[in-house]
Amino acid sequence: MADNSEVGITAEAVFAAAAQGDLVSQQILDAIGRRMGRVVAVMATFMDPELVVIGGAVAAASSILLTPLRSELARYMPNPPRVEVSTLGDAIVTLGAVRLALDYVEKHALNLRLDA
């Protein structure tokens, strides 16, 4: 069997097919959502968040994943965190990096040497 690069299957294609009612794509995304739910449950056990935000490349289509993810969380946790999707999409990584840089500058502003 050819790998997905030869066939041309992308995550976007799977999300689009699922949105159009393709049963195989929906089953794939259901399995991914359930796996994400188990991962979030493990992490939430250690960190005890009130809110988990899904961001990055999957954020735009992750609403398909929310139902199985939330269902799986409820199976593993008596009080699961709320799960929402970021509206920032792919920009979340860039914005996070900029915020981290700004935090560093704000924290170390008095230590900066302008003559160097």
Side-chain angles (χ1 to χ4, degrees):
M1 180 173 191
D3 67 29
N4 67 352
S5 63
E6 292 176 21
V7 176
I9 298 172
T10 63
E12 292 83 9
V14 174
F15 280 114
Q20 293 176 358
D22 180 68
L23 184 59
V24 173
S25 297
Q26 290 173 347
Q27 290 172 337
I28 290 169
L29 294 179
D30 184 72
I32 291 170
R34 291 188 183 287
R35 181 168 291 178
M36 287 175 66
R38 290 190 299 272
V39 170
V40 170
V42 169
M43 296 301 293
T45 300
F46 294 109
M47 302 169 80
D48 194 27
E50 291 182 28
L51 172 67
V52 173
V53 179
I54 298 174
V58 240
S62 63
S63 60
I64 298 170
L65 301 171
L66 285 179
T67 299
L69 191 157
R70 288 175 177 152
S71 171
E72 203 71 3
L73 268 177
R75 257 183 84 198
Y76 288 98
M77 303 183 75
N79 298 309
R82 201 171 90 240
V83 179
E84 300 296 336
V85 176
S86 170
T87 58
L88 298 175
D90 283 341
I92 196 166
V93 175
T94 305
L95 290 173
V98 169
R99 180 72 259 166
L100 187 62
L102 289 172
D103 288 347
Y104 180 86
V105 170
E106 289 171 0
K107 183 177 179 181
H108 298 93
L110 297 177
N111 300 334
L112 294 176
R113 292 190 55 192
L114 301 177
D115 63 339

